Amino acid sequence: MAIFKPPKAIRGGIPICFPQFSNHGPLEQHGFARNRFWSIDSDPPPFPTNSSNKAFIDLILKPSEEDMKIWPHSFEFRLRVTLGPGGDLMLTSRIRNTNLDGKPFTFTFAYHTYFSVSDISEVRVEGLETLDYLDNLQNKERFTEQGDAITFESEVDKIYLSTPTKIAILDHEKKRTFVIRKDGLPDAVVWNPWDKKAKAMADFGDDEYKHMLCVEAAAVEKPITLKPGEEWRGRQELSAVPSSYCSGQLDPQRVLQGS
Ligand code: TA6
């Protein structure tokens, strides 16, 4: 039930949270980047590319005068979106401080990725077990995850800290595993609004929480600071691989350790 009309962010896909994840200070929730029209970047600075990845587009976002009023920093945010030969989706963000006043700036970031799943009760997330997390549902208090893979039976809104570069989402019913590979993004946010919050959101169907899960490669706990002229990179790669976890044909650990 996403609303495709500015100024609200479109719910779904991969909203890009910049220059802040979350909602403190004068900035809107998750920053303004996800609410702006980007331009095609026809002349991006050189990029080390994998020659087999020919299908890509370069986008750029620069702040408007209005943006500068709420976040008084000049930046160039370049985003390369690449579709790999096997259907993998790569997103590479390059953010450069172009302030002329000599001032550094600090930001937090997330690829707020919405995954489609067949039944949230049958989904497991592998790669985050035993890690520390900040629980958004308990005033961002810090806890340590116990036990095995993460499963879902109620609302979840957690920021896992210092996570591995690979995380897997196993969709038992669909026999499909999403693998997230990330670089420059130490944290991982896991969110499902469950029934009550789903009902409260105008752009979200009452039952849609059963068929989605957000797992978000992010840099939240330790904000990133760039001096003028400095650039930061954050990369996320998504692939979907067939899995038959229950029959044991594909061990999720091997998905995580593999290629
Ligand atoms: O990433 C989780 C989260 O920050 C939740 O707290 C939840 O509010 C969600 O994002 C959606 O935020 P949005 O602004 O897109 O409604």
Side-chain angles (χ1 to χ4, degrees):
M1 289 180 66
I3 300 163
F4 286 72
K5 214 175 172 195
K8 211 183 169 310
I10 299 163
R11 189 169 302 288
I14 311 180
I16 290 186
C17 305
F18 172 83
Q20 85 173 3
F21 177 83
S22 196
N23 60 347
H24 39 83
L27 282 171
E28 60 219 77
Q29 152 106 331
H30 295 334
F32 51 75
R34 65 176 182 164
N35 298 327
R36 296 291 177 270
F37 285 104
W38 294 53
S39 306
I40 290 174
D41 188 7
S42 48
D43 190 21
F47 216 108
T49 50
N50 175 341
S51 55
S52 60
N53 291 329
K54 298 246 164 55
F56 63 82
I57 183 149
D58 286 304
L59 301 172
I60 185 162
L61 180 72
K62 293 183 190 176
S64 66
E65 278 179 23
E66 288 304 302
D67 297 336
M68 297 279 283
K69 283 182 195 155
I70 47 169
W71 202 67
H73 299 292
S74 178
F75 66 86
E76 285 173 358
F77 185 154
R78 293 193 150 81
L79 173 67
R80 175 165 289 190
V81 183
T82 305
L83 195 58
D88 297 356
L89 180 69
M90 276 82 76
L91 298 178
T92 306
S93 290
R94 298 187 287 174
I95 297 170
R96 178 177 288 278
N97 181 335
T98 52
N99 271 338
L100 296 175
D101 58 8
K103 290 202 177 122
F105 62 64
T106 297
F107 64 91
T108 51
F109 182 95
Y111 291 114
H112 198 304
T113 310
Y114 286 72
F115 291 94
S116 164
V117 297
S118 47
D119 176 358
I120 188 67
S121 315
E122 300 287 332
V123 165
R124 297 161 67 88
V125 175
E126 300 259 351
L128 304 175
E129 51 283 358
T130 76
L131 297 182
D132 279 8
Y133 63 88
L134 307 178
D135 195 339
N136 265 328
L137 303 178
Q138 298 190 63
N139 295 319
K140 292 211 167 69
E141 218 183 302
R142 193 175 179 125
F143 297 94
T144 303
E145 194 62 67
Q146 310 287 345
D148 298 335
I150 283 114
T151 53
F152 302 89
E153 49 192 29
S154 59
E155 184 183 359
V156 175
D157 191 350
K158 297 177 177 176
I159 303 168
Y160 289 88
L161 308 173
S162 305
T163 58
T165 53
K166 288 183 196 174
I167 298 170
I169 303 168
L170 291 97
D171 187 338
H172 168 57
E173 202 173 303
K174 230 177 208 162
K175 296 190 168 43
R176 176 171 69 181
T177 296
F178 291 114
V179 181
I180 305 168
R181 293 182 182 81
K182 59 190 181 61
D183 189 36
L185 297 159
D187 306 322
V189 184
V190 176
W191 179 58
N192 184 294
W194 222 254
D195 54 349
K196 278 204 197 83
K197 282 222 175 118
K199 284 204 177 82
M201 285 189 280
D203 55 352
F204 197 99
D206 290 358
D207 283 332
E208 284 185 322
Y209 76 93
K210 293 177 183 164
H211 307 296
M212 60 74 69
L213 178 66
C214 284
V215 179
E216 313 164 29
V220 178
E221 190 200 20
K222 295 180 185 132
I224 293 139
T225 297
L226 292 178
K227 292 189 195 122
E230 282 184 341
E231 186 177 87
W232 170 86
R233 276 183 194 212
R235 196 177 139 79
Q236 166 176 281
E237 194 175 320
L238 304 179
S239 40
V241 295
S243 65
S244 42
Y245 179 47
C246 242
S247 66
Q249 284 171 20
L250 187 63
D251 178 349
Q253 283 307 326
R254 277 174 42 207
V255 171
L256 287 172
Q257 285 152 13
S259 61

